[in-house]
Amino acid sequence: MPQISRDSRGWRRSAYAAEQAGIAERNAAEQTPSGSPSASPGTLTESGAKAALLTEADLEDGWNRVQDADKWRDRLLVGEVDVADFLTAKSKATDCQALLDALYGDDLLGEPSGPSALAGFEQDDARLLEQVAGYDRAGLDARLKWMDTLPQTCDEFTATGSGGEKRTVQVTEASVPDVGDAREGLHVTVQGTADATPVTLTLDIAAVRVGTSALTLTGGGTDGGQTSSVEQGVRQGTERLKTVLDGKTPSPQPGDLD
Protein backbone atom coordinates (compact mmCIF):
# COMPACT_ATOMS: atom_id res chain seq x y z
CA MET A 1 0.00 0.00 0.00
CA PRO A 2 1.46 3.47 -0.86
CA GLN A 3 2.65 5.67 2.00
CA ILE A 4 0.27 8.61 2.62
CA SER A 5 2.00 11.94 3.20
CA ARG A 6 0.78 14.18 5.97
CA ASP A 7 0.28 17.10 3.60
CA SER A 8 -2.49 17.01 1.04
CA ARG A 9 -0.16 17.44 -1.94
CA GLY A 10 1.85 14.38 -0.96
CA TRP A 11 -1.34 12.40 -0.49
CA ARG A 12 -2.56 13.40 -3.96
CA ARG A 13 0.77 12.36 -5.53
CA SER A 14 0.59 8.97 -3.83
CA ALA A 15 -3.01 8.43 -4.82
CA TYR A 16 -2.27 9.43 -8.40
CA ALA A 17 0.67 6.99 -8.58
CA ALA A 18 -1.47 4.18 -7.23
CA GLU A 19 -4.21 4.98 -9.73
CA GLN A 20 -1.76 4.97 -12.64
CA ALA A 21 -0.28 1.64 -11.50
CA GLY A 22 -3.76 0.14 -11.42
CA ILE A 23 -4.49 1.40 -14.94
CA ALA A 24 -1.21 -0.08 -16.21
CA GLU A 25 -2.05 -3.45 -14.68
CA ARG A 26 -5.53 -3.44 -16.24
CA ASN A 27 -4.11 -2.48 -19.65
CA ALA A 28 -1.55 -5.28 -19.47
CA ALA A 29 -4.26 -7.76 -18.57
CA GLU A 30 -6.43 -6.62 -21.48
CA GLN A 31 -3.52 -6.95 -23.93
CA THR A 32 -2.73 -10.52 -22.80
CA PRO A 33 -5.12 -13.11 -24.29
CA SER A 34 -6.88 -15.28 -21.71
CA GLY A 35 -5.17 -18.65 -21.29
CA SER A 36 -2.02 -17.64 -23.20
CA PRO A 37 1.24 -19.26 -21.99
CA SER A 38 3.56 -17.32 -19.72
CA ALA A 39 6.87 -16.03 -21.01
CA SER A 40 8.82 -18.70 -19.11
CA PRO A 41 7.91 -22.41 -18.93
CA GLY A 42 6.27 -23.75 -15.80
CA THR A 43 7.61 -26.31 -13.37
CA LEU A 44 7.59 -29.97 -14.30
CA THR A 45 5.57 -32.30 -12.06
CA GLU A 46 5.58 -36.10 -11.78
CA SER A 47 2.31 -36.36 -13.69
CA GLY A 48 3.53 -33.79 -16.19
CA ALA A 49 6.73 -35.73 -16.91
CA LYS A 50 4.67 -38.84 -17.66
CA ALA A 51 2.19 -36.91 -19.81
CA ALA A 52 5.05 -35.38 -21.81
CA LEU A 53 6.41 -38.79 -22.85
CA LEU A 54 6.03 -39.85 -26.45
CA THR A 55 3.30 -42.27 -27.46
CA GLU A 56 3.20 -44.74 -30.33
CA ALA A 57 1.03 -42.24 -32.22
CA ASP A 58 3.86 -39.67 -32.07
CA LEU A 59 6.28 -41.98 -33.88
CA GLU A 60 6.30 -43.40 -37.38
CA ASP A 61 7.38 -46.79 -38.79
CA GLY A 62 5.58 -49.04 -36.31
CA TRP A 63 7.37 -48.49 -33.00
CA ASN A 64 5.85 -50.47 -30.11
CA ARG A 65 6.03 -49.24 -26.53
CA VAL A 66 7.48 -51.64 -23.96
CA GLN A 67 7.26 -51.74 -20.17
CA ASP A 68 10.84 -52.63 -19.16
CA ALA A 69 12.77 -49.71 -20.64
CA ASP A 70 14.20 -48.83 -17.23
CA LYS A 71 16.07 -52.15 -17.30
CA TRP A 72 17.64 -51.69 -20.74
CA ARG A 73 21.43 -51.85 -20.70
CA ASP A 74 23.82 -52.59 -23.56
CA ARG A 75 26.97 -54.45 -22.53
CA LEU A 76 28.88 -53.02 -25.50
CA LEU A 77 28.88 -49.71 -23.62
CA VAL A 78 30.70 -51.24 -20.64
CA GLY A 79 34.46 -50.82 -20.89
CA GLU A 80 37.54 -49.03 -19.61
CA VAL A 81 38.82 -46.27 -21.88
CA ASP A 82 42.41 -46.86 -23.02
CA VAL A 83 44.27 -43.88 -21.57
CA ALA A 84 47.14 -44.53 -24.00
CA ASP A 85 44.92 -43.05 -26.73
CA PHE A 86 45.28 -39.69 -24.97
CA LEU A 87 49.01 -39.38 -24.35
CA THR A 88 48.99 -35.57 -24.12
CA ALA A 89 45.52 -35.00 -22.66
CA LYS A 90 44.60 -37.41 -19.89
CA SER A 91 41.50 -35.36 -19.03
CA LYS A 92 40.03 -36.32 -22.39
CA ALA A 93 40.08 -39.96 -21.35
CA THR A 94 37.99 -38.98 -18.32
CA ASP A 95 35.41 -37.30 -20.56
CA CYS A 96 35.21 -40.32 -22.85
CA GLN A 97 34.80 -42.67 -19.89
CA ALA A 98 32.04 -40.42 -18.58
CA LEU A 99 30.31 -40.61 -21.97
CA LEU A 100 30.33 -44.42 -22.01
CA ASP A 101 29.13 -44.59 -18.41
CA ALA A 102 26.35 -42.07 -19.08
CA LEU A 103 25.15 -43.91 -22.17
CA TYR A 104 25.07 -47.17 -20.25
CA GLY A 105 23.29 -45.59 -17.28
CA ASP A 106 20.86 -43.50 -19.36
CA ASP A 107 21.86 -40.28 -17.56
CA LEU A 108 23.62 -38.29 -20.26
CA LEU A 109 22.31 -35.02 -18.81
CA GLY A 110 23.23 -35.99 -15.28
CA GLU A 111 21.03 -36.92 -12.34
CA PRO A 112 17.66 -35.14 -12.51
CA SER A 113 16.94 -32.80 -9.61
CA GLY A 114 13.19 -32.93 -10.29
CA PRO A 115 10.59 -35.38 -11.59
CA SER A 116 11.67 -37.93 -14.18
CA ALA A 117 9.88 -40.38 -16.48
CA LEU A 118 11.02 -42.93 -19.09
CA ALA A 119 9.44 -44.43 -22.18
CA GLY A 120 10.91 -47.17 -24.37
CA PHE A 121 9.93 -48.37 -27.84
CA GLU A 122 11.04 -51.32 -29.96
CA GLN A 123 11.02 -51.94 -33.69
CA ASP A 124 12.51 -55.29 -34.66
CA ASP A 125 16.03 -55.17 -33.13
CA ALA A 126 16.08 -51.38 -32.77
CA ARG A 127 15.25 -49.46 -29.62
CA LEU A 128 14.21 -45.90 -28.86
CA LEU A 129 14.48 -44.59 -25.30
CA GLU A 130 13.14 -41.25 -24.09
CA GLN A 131 13.63 -39.54 -20.76
CA VAL A 132 11.77 -36.40 -19.64
CA ALA A 133 13.02 -34.80 -16.44
CA GLY A 134 13.52 -31.64 -14.43
CA TYR A 135 17.05 -30.43 -13.73
CA ASP A 136 19.07 -27.77 -12.02
CA ARG A 137 19.44 -25.10 -14.71
CA ALA A 138 23.17 -24.49 -14.23
CA GLY A 139 23.95 -28.21 -14.22
CA LEU A 140 21.78 -28.81 -17.28
CA ASP A 141 23.51 -26.06 -19.27
CA ALA A 142 26.90 -27.43 -18.23
CA ARG A 143 26.01 -30.93 -19.46
CA LEU A 144 24.79 -29.60 -22.81
CA LYS A 145 28.04 -27.67 -23.24
CA TRP A 146 29.93 -30.84 -22.33
CA MET A 147 28.02 -32.79 -25.00
CA ASP A 148 29.02 -30.15 -27.53
CA THR A 149 32.73 -30.83 -26.87
CA LEU A 150 32.57 -34.63 -27.20
CA PRO A 151 32.89 -34.93 -31.00
CA GLN A 152 36.27 -33.19 -30.72
CA THR A 153 37.38 -34.66 -27.39
CA CYS A 154 36.28 -38.24 -28.06
CA ASP A 155 36.24 -38.42 -31.86
CA GLU A 156 37.77 -41.93 -31.75
CA PHE A 157 39.11 -44.00 -28.87
CA THR A 158 39.48 -47.57 -27.64
CA ALA A 159 37.71 -49.18 -24.70
CA THR A 160 38.46 -52.59 -23.20
CA GLY A 161 35.58 -54.83 -22.14
CA SER A 162 35.52 -56.98 -19.03
CA GLY A 163 36.71 -59.98 -21.05
CA GLY A 164 39.67 -58.08 -22.47
CA GLU A 165 38.14 -57.48 -25.90
CA LYS A 166 38.95 -54.17 -27.56
CA ARG A 167 36.19 -51.89 -28.78
CA THR A 168 36.56 -48.93 -31.10
CA VAL A 169 34.30 -45.99 -30.26
CA GLN A 170 33.64 -43.10 -32.63
CA VAL A 171 31.72 -39.94 -31.72
CA THR A 172 30.48 -37.36 -34.22
CA GLU A 173 28.13 -34.40 -34.11
CA ALA A 174 24.50 -34.99 -35.10
CA SER A 175 21.98 -32.39 -36.17
CA VAL A 176 18.92 -31.79 -34.00
CA PRO A 177 15.70 -30.04 -35.11
CA ASP A 178 15.61 -26.36 -34.11
CA VAL A 179 13.23 -26.75 -31.18
CA GLY A 180 13.32 -25.89 -27.48
CA ASP A 181 15.63 -23.40 -25.80
CA ALA A 182 18.88 -25.32 -26.39
CA ARG A 183 19.81 -28.63 -27.98
CA GLU A 184 22.70 -31.00 -28.69
CA GLY A 185 23.07 -34.16 -30.75
CA LEU A 186 25.58 -37.02 -30.99
CA HIS A 187 26.13 -40.01 -33.26
CA VAL A 188 28.02 -42.81 -31.51
CA THR A 189 29.26 -46.14 -32.87
CA VAL A 190 30.87 -48.93 -30.86
CA GLN A 191 32.63 -51.71 -32.79
CA GLY A 192 33.12 -54.85 -30.74
CA THR A 193 32.05 -58.48 -30.49
CA ALA A 194 28.99 -60.32 -29.20
CA ASP A 195 29.18 -64.10 -28.82
CA ALA A 196 32.53 -64.00 -30.67
CA THR A 197 30.85 -62.31 -33.64
CA PRO A 198 31.89 -58.82 -34.82
CA VAL A 199 29.11 -56.32 -34.19
CA THR A 200 28.62 -52.56 -34.34
CA LEU A 201 26.28 -50.69 -32.02
CA THR A 202 25.03 -47.43 -33.55
CA LEU A 203 23.27 -44.77 -31.49
CA ASP A 204 21.65 -41.48 -32.46
CA ILE A 205 21.27 -39.21 -29.45
CA ALA A 206 19.47 -35.89 -29.01
CA ALA A 207 18.89 -33.70 -25.95
CA VAL A 208 16.61 -30.64 -25.84
CA ARG A 209 16.18 -28.15 -23.02
CA VAL A 210 12.89 -26.33 -22.36
CA GLY A 211 13.29 -24.01 -19.39
CA THR A 212 14.71 -26.15 -16.58
CA SER A 213 13.30 -29.35 -18.05
CA ALA A 214 14.73 -31.50 -20.81
CA LEU A 215 14.09 -34.54 -22.93
CA THR A 216 16.72 -37.00 -24.10
CA LEU A 217 16.19 -39.47 -26.94
CA THR A 218 18.51 -42.35 -27.78
CA GLY A 219 17.73 -44.56 -30.75
CA GLY A 220 19.56 -47.34 -32.54
CA GLY A 221 20.94 -50.83 -32.17
CA THR A 222 23.17 -53.32 -33.93
CA ASP A 223 21.25 -52.88 -37.19
CA GLY A 224 22.11 -49.19 -37.47
CA GLY A 225 21.03 -45.80 -36.21
CA GLN A 226 17.57 -44.30 -36.08
CA THR A 227 18.17 -40.74 -37.25
CA SER A 228 14.73 -40.05 -38.71
CA SER A 229 12.86 -41.56 -35.76
CA VAL A 230 14.96 -39.61 -33.26
CA GLU A 231 14.29 -36.38 -35.17
CA GLN A 232 10.57 -37.15 -35.29
CA GLY A 233 10.60 -37.94 -31.58
CA VAL A 234 12.44 -34.71 -30.79
CA ARG A 235 9.87 -32.60 -32.61
CA GLN A 236 6.86 -34.30 -31.08
CA GLY A 237 8.46 -34.74 -27.67
CA THR A 238 9.44 -31.07 -27.39
CA GLU A 239 5.93 -30.02 -28.37
CA ARG A 240 4.46 -32.33 -25.73
CA LEU A 241 6.85 -31.03 -23.07
CA LYS A 242 6.06 -27.40 -23.88
CA THR A 243 2.33 -28.16 -23.75
CA VAL A 244 2.69 -29.77 -20.32
CA LEU A 245 4.77 -26.88 -18.97
CA ASP A 246 2.06 -24.50 -20.18
CA GLY A 247 -0.38 -26.34 -17.94
CA LYS A 248 -2.19 -28.07 -20.78
CA THR A 249 -2.69 -31.68 -21.88
CA PRO A 250 -0.94 -32.96 -25.05
CA SER A 251 -3.26 -33.99 -27.85
CA PRO A 252 -3.67 -37.76 -28.36
CA GLN A 253 -3.44 -37.11 -32.09
CA PRO A 254 -0.15 -35.31 -32.81
CA GLY A 255 -0.05 -32.71 -35.53
CA ASP A 256 2.37 -32.58 -38.45
CA LEU A 257 5.36 -30.62 -37.18
CA ASP A 258 7.56 -31.07 -40.25
Side-chain angles (χ1 to χ4, degrees):
M1 177 178 294
Q3 295 291 326
I4 299 178
S5 172
R6 290 182 178 178
D7 72 286
S8 59
R9 288 178 299 176
W11 181 87
R12 286 197 295 272
R13 285 196 296 268
S14 298
Y16 177 79
E19 180 182 7
Q20 294 302 306
I23 293 173
E25 290 177 359
R26 289 194 296 273
N27 288 341
E30 292 171 356
Q31 293 172 5
T32 302
S34 177
S36 63
S38 59
S40 58
T43 302
L44 190 66
T45 63
E46 289 286 352
S47 59
K50 293 177 181 178
L53 291 172
L54 292 167
T55 68
E56 292 177 352
D58 292 302
L59 301 170
E60 299 175 347
D61 302 327
W63 287 93
N64 299 308
R65 187 163 179 173
V66 299
Q67 300 302 317
D68 61 348
D70 59 324
K71 298 180 177 64
W72 283 354
R73 295 291 184 271
D74 198 308
R75 298 295 300 175
L76 283 172
L77 294 169
V78 178
E80 293 294 327
V81 172
D82 189 347
V83 181
D85 288 351
F86 306 92
L87 293 176
T88 60
K90 304 296 184 183
S91 62
K92 291 185 177 182
T94 302
D95 282 331
C96 300
Q97 186 69 63
L99 170 61
L100 284 183
D101 294 343
L103 290 175
Y104 182 76
D106 297 324
D107 57 356
L108 193 61
L109 294 180
E111 188 70 22
S113 61
S116 177
L118 284 173
F121 303 84
E122 288 184 339
Q123 180 194 96
D124 298 325
D125 292 331
R127 287 176 171 177
L128 184 69
L129 180 69
E130 180 195 23
Q131 181 181 40
V132 174
Y135 296 88
D136 168 74
R137 172 63 187 275
L140 180 55
D141 284 342
R143 292 294 284 195
L144 288 171
K145 289 180 180 179
W146 173 69
M147 283 181 64
D148 184 57
T149 67
L150 294 176
Q152 292 75 42
T153 303
C154 305
D155 56 342
E156 182 171 334
F157 61 93
T158 303
T160 304
S162 57
E165 69 276 13
K166 297 291 185 179
R167 298 167 185 161
T168 300
V169 184
Q170 293 180 313
V171 182
T172 57
E173 181 181 359
S175 63
V176 180
D178 188 14
V179 294
D181 299 325
R183 64 212 64 82
E184 291 294 340
L186 297 172
H187 180 81
V188 178
T189 61
V190 182
Q191 295 176 324
T193 59
D195 299 326
T197 302
V199 66
T200 298
L201 173 67
T202 304
L203 299 175
D204 289 305
I205 305 149
V208 177
R209 178 179 70 79
V210 180
T212 58
S213 303
L215 63 92
T216 309
L217 268 83
T218 303
T222 54
D223 287 339
Q226 294 293 329
T227 303
S228 61
S229 292
V230 169
E231 289 181 352
Q232 173 79 1
V234 163
R235 293 190 184 95
Q236 300 290 1
T238 302
E239 187 67 20
R240 292 182 69 90
L241 179 55
K242 290 170 62 178
T243 298
V244 165
L245 292 176
D246 285 341
K248 303 175 183 177
T249 301
S251 170
Q253 297 297 326
D256 184 3
L257 300 178
D258 291 338

